Each structure stands twice: as C-alpha cells, then as structure tokens.
Amino acid sequence: MNKKVNVLVACGAGIATSTVVMKKVEELFAENNIDVNLIQIKIAEAGSRQEDADMLISTTVLPTTYSIPTIKAMGYLTGLGVDKLNQEVIDTAKKIQAEAN
C-alpha cells in the first residue's frame, strides 16, 4: 500500500487562491490514484507545519526555505504551464511515496 501524502496548500491569507489550487490538485491526485491529505494554510504557517507534511504547494512567494519539497503553483491561477506544473506535482508525490516504501 502506498503512503498517504500530506500536502500543504498555501497562499498569503489561506483563503482565496489556495482554494482554487486545492480543487485543481485534488482532481489531479484523484485522476492519478494518489492518496493525499490536503491541508489548506496561510504561507506564514508553513514553517511550523512542515514537520507533519510531505510537500508544500504555494501560490505566493516562499518567505524561507523548507525541509520538504516546495512547488510554486501560480500556473494554476494564470493557466500558463499547467501541464508542466501537473507533472511536477505528480512526480514529487510519487517520489515521496517511493521513498516511504
């Protein structure tokens, strides 16, 4: 059984753009049969929440570096480079699962 991937989805306030991205990545993970736990947060919370997470998807500038893989998800809002972004999200999740097995 594959590991459930804990994914932080962040934006500046943890409300608007992260909600849009949550929907998109939720569908993406479902289409690729990847079991995830999505957690919507403010980017300011990411530092304290990274210990319990496997990856961070953010629509805002990252204020620091993190111990988990980070993905900048502006493409989900602009529509630019979505295919490449989707591939990066899936590849990262699959790598996390492979390392856990």
Side-chain angles (χ1 to χ4, degrees):
M1 188 169 133
N2 280 334
K3 169 187 173 38
K4 186 174 215 166
V5 181
N6 291 309
V7 181
L8 301 175
V9 180
C11 68
I15 300 167
T17 59
S18 58
T19 301
V20 172
V21 173
M22 283 274 289
K23 256 319 199 202
K24 293 187 186 289
V25 295
E26 191 173 37
E27 292 167 7
L28 178 65
F29 286 126
E31 288 166 9
N32 287 274
N33 297 314
I34 296 175
D35 193 14
V36 295
N37 180 30
L38 297 173
I39 306 143
Q40 190 171 354
I41 62 167
K42 297 177 195 155
I43 193 61
E45 298 174 62
S48 63
R49 307 272 313 249
Q50 66 184 328
E51 293 302 316
D52 300 321
D54 298 303
M55 66 192 279
L56 168 64
I57 299 173
S58 176
T59 62
T60 188
V61 175
L62 302 174
T64 186
T65 55
Y66 300 96
S67 61
I68 56 176
T70 57
I71 297 174
K72 294 182 183 86
M74 279 305 292
Y76 288 132
L77 306 176
T78 64
L80 301 173
V82 173
D83 290 343
K84 185 178 175 196
L85 180 54
N86 283 342
Q87 194 61 56
E88 183 182 3
V89 170
I90 293 304
D91 289 348
T92 302
K94 286 183 176 177
K95 182 178 180 212
I96 290 163
Q97 287 183 322
E99 289 171 355
N101 289 337

